[in-house]
Amino acid sequence: MIFINPKTDFAFKKIFGSEQSKEILISFLNALLYGGRSIIEDLEIINPYLAPKIQGIKDTYLDVKARLTANTTVIIEMQVLNLEGFEKRILYNAAKAYSIQLEPGEDYTLLSPVIALTITDFEMFQDLPQVTSNFVLKEKNVLTDYPINDLELVFVELPKFTKTLEDLESLADKWIYFIKSARQLETIPEIMAQVPEIRRAFEVANQANMTREELEVLEQREIYIHDQRNAIRLGLRQGIEQGIEVGREQGIEVGREQGIQESKIEIARQMLGVLDEETISRITGLSLEEVRRLM
């Protein structure tokens, strides 16, 4: 069997956000949010996957949203590239999902909790050794919880997960291993197949069960991510080289600053015609005006 890569946002949404994925998503969320306990018994997928309508390489991410039985909203996102401003976007999306619950004049007591669960294919918190990190509102000095913990940010950093099949113990271990390694597998490992929802996730991820249109869109998404990575690498390399040369002529510090700026400009140039100007601005840190001048 050949499995699609769950780390691709399109594939992630198909596996966890399809209408038939409810049991898969319940198991996944119970594992990553509640230590494998059956806290979530039912949920509603708010924005279900509709293939092959998710098209176009200018989209930067495709999230999954669900409403739990306790009326808690969960936003689940798979992020492959570490873009500038990404941390702010996560916080913004969670705050926005919290605030739009109320119509003008409605009472604040009607607000329900929001959890933003983000899986990253890069390290976000280099000072934290754990794979999963949970952030909530606390008092700054004595770390006492805020009376209402309605906003929670949960991050799963895939590069920090180093367990092999033989090391898998918890349900969370198995789900994280599935996301990180399914693309390299040719069969469903026995230890994974013992969990019905994970076995079902492998079935959804099997390329043999996908339409030609879905496979074409998936290929577009993978090319899109690959092109972005290459553009960033090339821009950084050329920017560093230019910075070194300028540094020789004008002094190390001046060269360093100009090298950083040249790096951003080169990255932007590589992305012209591939991404829209807002995305290029967000990735490089250049202003929209600077990107438009390059265009």
Side-chain angles (χ1 to χ4, degrees), residues 225-280:
I225 292 171
H226 183 72
D227 286 347
Q228 283 195 80
R229 279 177 167 162
N230 283 344
I232 292 171
R233 289 192 188 104
L234 178 61
L236 288 173
R237 179 173 58 80
Q238 293 184 348
I240 290 171
E241 291 172 354
Q242 292 170 5
I244 292 173
E245 183 62 29
V246 173
R248 290 177 181 149
E249 298 174 358
Q250 301 181 17
I252 297 300
E253 187 59 30
V254 175
R256 176 181 176 275
E257 294 301 322
Q258 183 161 342
I260 292 172
Q261 182 66 15
E262 291 292 340
S263 175
K264 293 179 179 180
I265 292 172
E266 186 57 38
I267 291 172
R269 285 200 181 104
Q270 295 297 323
M271 293 180 174
L272 294 178
V274 179
L275 305 177
D276 58 82
E277 58 190 34
E278 289 82 5
T279 302
I280 294 174

Side-chain angles (χ1 to χ4, degrees), residues 116-129:
L117 170 60
T118 307
I119 300 96
T120 66
D121 199 27
F122 53 87
E123 288 193 12
M124 284 193 65
F125 312 107
Q126 296 183 358
D127 294 335
L128 299 178

Side-chain angles (χ1 to χ4, degrees), residues 4 10-11 14 49-56 207-222:
I4 60 178
F10 173 83
K14 177 175 175 59
Y49 162 90
L50 295 173
K53 296 182 180 179
I54 304 173
Q55 296 190 24
Q207 284 193 15
N209 296 328
M210 299 182 67
T211 67
R212 178 176 297 180
E213 290 79 9
E214 288 176 317
L215 291 174
E216 288 177 353
V217 174
L218 178 61
E219 183 179 10
Q220 288 179 3
R221 298 301 300 179
E222 291 179 335

Side-chain angles (χ1 to χ4, degrees), residues 195-213:
V195 181
E197 294 82 7
I198 295 181
R199 185 172 64 248
R200 174 60 182 151
F202 271 107
E203 293 170 359
V204 176
N206 190 348
Q207 284 193 15
N209 296 328
M210 299 182 67
T211 67
R212 178 176 297 180
E213 290 79 9

Side-chain angles (χ1 to χ4, degrees), residues 9-49:
D9 49 11
F10 173 83
F12 185 87
K13 181 149 190 173
K14 177 175 175 59
I15 296 167
F16 294 99
S18 300
E19 290 185 351
Q20 70 271 24
S21 301
K22 186 165 74 169
E23 298 304 320
I24 294 174
L25 189 56
I26 288 174
S27 175
F28 178 73
L29 293 178
N30 275 329
L32 296 186
L33 298 180
Y34 301 111
R37 293 171 292 154
S38 300
I39 302 298
I40 304 171
E41 297 179 353
D42 196 11
L43 56 76
E44 172 195 2
I45 297 175
I46 299 174
N47 56 343
Y49 162 90

